[in-house]
Every structure is written in C-alpha cells, then in structure tokens.
Amino acid sequence: ALQVILAKPEIFDDVAGIADNLNKKTTVILNLESTERNVSRRIIDFLSGAAYANGGQIKRVANSTFVITPFNVNLSGDVLDELESNGITFSN
C-alpha cells in the first residue's frame, strides 16, 4: 500500500518533520493554503532539496498543493490516480 501523510505546515520549523517522512519512504501531500507565501517558498526549496537528496520528486498538483515522493515511488499519473481513488482530491 502507498504510505501517505498530509502536511499543512504553518511555519518553517515544521519542515524537518516533513523531510523525516520522506526519509522513511513516505509520500507527502504538502498543502500550503494556510502558509505565508515567503514561508511557502522556503519550505518548497527545502523539501525539493530533501526529495532530490532522496532520489525523489516534487510535483505541483493544485494551486497550493504538492505531492512529494521518495525514490521508491514513481510520481506518475498512477500515484495521483491512486490518491484520488482513496478520496484525496486536488482542486485548483
């Protein structure tokens, strides 16, 4: 089964815990709707680096929502379809 967590960080200090999940090969859905723009940018930069270091990927799937996958998950339509079939919807 696909291991997924939903992260809604509000401050930059939340980012280490999110990166820890990537390190444990968990897919992260990052929701930045309630995050300030400048903080969002820092979080995305940090997690892009964490994903890259893990051989993973980060992909924007909606206006302020990103899916970050570790190296063992291929971020293709399959993952997005599986998430949506589990009731996780991405609206722009």
Side-chain angles (χ1 to χ4, degrees):
L2 187 63
Q3 287 188 292
V4 180
I5 64 143
L6 174 63
K8 293 185 79 165
E10 291 185 8
I11 56 170
F12 185 75
D13 290 353
D14 295 337
V15 81
I18 299 170
D20 288 342
N21 282 289
L22 281 176
N23 292 339
K24 294 179 201 146
K25 301 183 182 59
T26 302
T27 294
V28 175
I29 298 172
L30 182 66
N31 182 318
L32 297 171
E33 280 172 344
S34 52
T35 314
E36 284 181 33
R37 186 173 292 262
N38 60 335
V39 175
S40 292
R41 195 167 293 124
R42 288 179 65 206
I43 288 173
I44 290 166
D45 286 347
F46 184 96
L47 292 175
S48 294
Y52 180 79
N54 273 303
Q57 290 177 280
I58 183 166
K59 181 177 182 177
R60 178 182 230 138
V61 291
N63 205 13
S64 38
T65 306
F66 297 79
V67 173
I68 313 164
T69 52
F71 72 90
N72 62 320
V73 175
N74 188 8
L75 184 48
S76 63
D78 298 348
V79 169
L80 301 181
D81 291 346
E82 188 171 339
L83 293 174
E84 292 194 344
S85 68
N86 286 326
I88 298 168
T89 54
F90 305 111
S91 55
N92 282 309

